Amino acid sequence: MEFFRKTLDPVIALAAIAILDIFLFLQLGAWTVGGGETMMTGLIAEFFMGDEIRRIPFWQLVFEPDAGYWKIYISLGMLFGAVLGAVMSGEFFIRYPRRLSEWIMITIGGLLMGIGIRLAFVCNVSTFFGLTPELNMGGYLAISGIVAGAWVGSLLYKRLLGV
Amino acid sequence: MSIVGECTIAFVFGSVVGLLVQRSRFCNTAALRDAMLFKTYRNTKALLVAMMILTLGFTGFITIGEGNPMRFDVGLNQIVGLFLFGIGMVLAGACTVSTWVKAGEGNIGAVWALVFTFAGMFLFSLLWSFLYWPPAPSAMTSDPALQTLQLGFSNAATLQEKTGIPAIAFGLVQIMVLFAIYRAILRRERSDTTGATGAD
């Protein structure tokens, strides 16, 4: 099938995603990933800690673990769609970062993403595909933050990898 | 709508998004990083087009009172939070979308990034449980609360309500700004191509 042989123009792909996002906005709310990931964190923590998690106020007052939270299924769907696309196009294969420096950068990067999402209450997806198109003031603040962060991150990346 | 219905719609939406992102190699991190670091705009242009379509759709439906806009107060925590996120996504080489998509392609580095994103969220949950800041959405009042660095709630619907001007009008202004950026990128790409050809 042609779709799985050629790389799709990202402008076409993102235009299609935007139209679907409008449909999602009408049904449930705009596309977001951070909320679902937070709920997954709560569910994983609940799995390991049991009722002890109720002693942490965040998991009572902000995100009470709930497997029926619809945003979780957006992320699981993305994983499923990506596996499907990669397998069908022959692009699925296990690969690892080769250098220790890459593992360290990914570890620090992951932690900063997690902390940043929860501090801001939004992620990059809700910033660009939700808040800003809704003309929410938070979208403009979040864009200022992410652009500044990406600039600082790029300088660090350049220095660490010598790009 | 039932919970099963909500989760099914979300899963179908996510599946199509995952497939399209995997096939197009779109990456939000690259949209910002490549524009800054390498002056290439393949992903930036796609992001701008999506934002133009979304602005038209969202503000159009908000004008007639339809849709489910995100509802929570905004504050300075959003600048600081997304600043940290921006550094993190460049270091990790993936954002929230591409970590899932790359994980689905068998990239163990992306799985590692996801695990530590979850760890970062859990660490923040512990910190929040001491600080209680920023306020939980349930405690937000929509009004500015400077003691907690919250600026209140404002979006296309509140603009329409306060000014009497349809939300779509504000949306069109934003679309023009986004289009101006898009056109500037195209012009830059053309001049780069012409420059390269001239050098030959």
Side-chain angles (χ1 to χ4, degrees):
Chain A
M1 200 175 158
E2 190 72 7
F3 180 75
F4 293 107
R5 275 199 294 268
K6 277 186 176 174
T7 301
L8 186 64
D9 182 343
V11 172
I12 294 171
L14 266 285
I17 290 172
I19 291 164
L20 288 172
D21 192 16
I22 294 169
F23 171 75
L24 194 69
F25 170 77
L26 291 172
Q27 295 298 315
L28 303 170
W31 180 24
T32 171
V33 180
E37 286 184 343
T38 308
M39 194 58 87
M40 282 188 222
T41 304
L43 290 167
I44 294 166
E46 190 179 40
F47 177 79
F48 286 109
M49 297 170 66
D51 284 341
E52 284 291 297
I53 195 176
R54 314 263 171 236
R55 293 176 56 196
I56 304 172
F58 180 89
W59 301 108
Q60 280 183 6
L61 302 172
V62 186
F63 272 88
E64 203 172 337
D66 173 13
Y69 189 56
W70 61 272
K71 292 175 185 175
I72 294 173
Y73 299 91
I74 294 182
S75 298
L76 296 180
M78 289 194 301
L79 182 68
F80 172 75
V83 170
L84 184 74
V87 169
M88 294 290 285
S89 58
E91 291 171 4
F92 183 90
F93 57 95
I94 301 293
R95 68 206 96 172
Y96 300 89
R98 287 182 188 163
R99 289 180 292 183
L100 179 66
S101 61
E102 287 179 77
W103 284 101
I104 294 170
M105 273 168 54
I106 294 170
T107 304
I108 296 169
L111 283 170
L112 286 176
M113 285 200 288
I115 292 168
I117 288 173
R118 284 299 8 121
L119 180 58
F121 276 119
V122 291
C123 62
N124 64 311
V125 172
S126 28
T127 297
F128 290 107
F129 300 90
L131 287 178
T132 309
E134 288 170 13
L135 312 189
N136 190 307
M137 186 171 61
Y140 306 114
L141 294 183
I143 282 186
S144 325
I146 201 169
V147 169
W151 182 70
V152 172
S154 298
L155 293 179
L156 286 172
Y157 183 88
K158 223 170 164 174
R159 181 163 289 194
L160 292 171
L161 290 187
V163 177
Chain B
M1 190 183 293
S2 70
I3 291 174
V4 174
E6 288 180 359
C7 296
T8 306
I9 289 176
F11 186 79
V12 172
F13 172 81
S15 301
V16 179
V17 167
L19 184 64
L20 289 170
V21 171
Q22 197 279 327
R23 295 311 306 134
S24 66
R25 311 234 152 273
F26 172 77
C27 178
N28 206 162
T29 306
L32 298 176
R33 183 199 58 203
D34 293 357
M36 291 173 186
L37 211 55
F38 308 114
K39 309 291 175 210
T40 57
Y41 304 97
R42 177 182 182 270
N43 292 288
T44 319
K45 286 187 292 184
L47 180 64
L48 287 168
V49 168
M51 287 178 75
M52 284 189 261
I53 295 171
L54 286 169
T55 304
L56 183 67
F58 287 177
T59 56
F61 281 111
I62 286 173
T63 303
I64 55 170
E66 294 290 332
N68 299 289
M70 289 183 197
R71 176 122 206 142
F72 56 84
D73 292 3
V74 298
L76 297 186
N77 54 300
Q78 293 197 314
I79 296 184
V80 182
L82 266 289
F83 176 75
L84 294 177
F85 181 91
I87 297 174
M89 74 174 189
V90 174
L91 293 183
C95 64
T96 49
V97 180
S98 41
T99 44
W100 288 101
V101 172
K102 287 178 180 176
E105 291 175 332
N107 187 324
I108 304 299
V111 177
W112 191 255
L114 263 178
V115 168
F116 279 90
T117 302
F118 290 162
M121 287 175 168
F122 188 75
L123 285 177
F124 185 80
S125 78
L126 298 177
L127 184 67
W128 189 91
S129 301
F130 283 106
L131 298 175
Y132 290 88
W133 188 86
S138 57
M140 290 173 174
T141 60
S142 297
D143 293 320
L146 294 181
Q147 70 278 16
T148 54
L149 303 177
Q150 298 298 297
L151 307 173
F153 178 71
S154 165
N155 72 354
T158 61
L159 277 173
Q160 176 169 294
E161 209 178 284
K162 283 179 184 160
T163 62
I165 299 168
I168 186 94
F170 297 102
L172 290 172
V173 173
Q174 177 160 294
I175 291 169
M176 283 194 283
V177 173
L178 292 169
F179 185 69
I181 300 170
Y182 184 81
R183 232 174 50 165
I185 289 174
L186 289 184
R187 244 187 263 133
R188 190 190 169 108
E189 282 182 332
R190 265 199 297 268
S191 70
D192 285 352
T193 315
T194 316
T197 315
D200 289 338

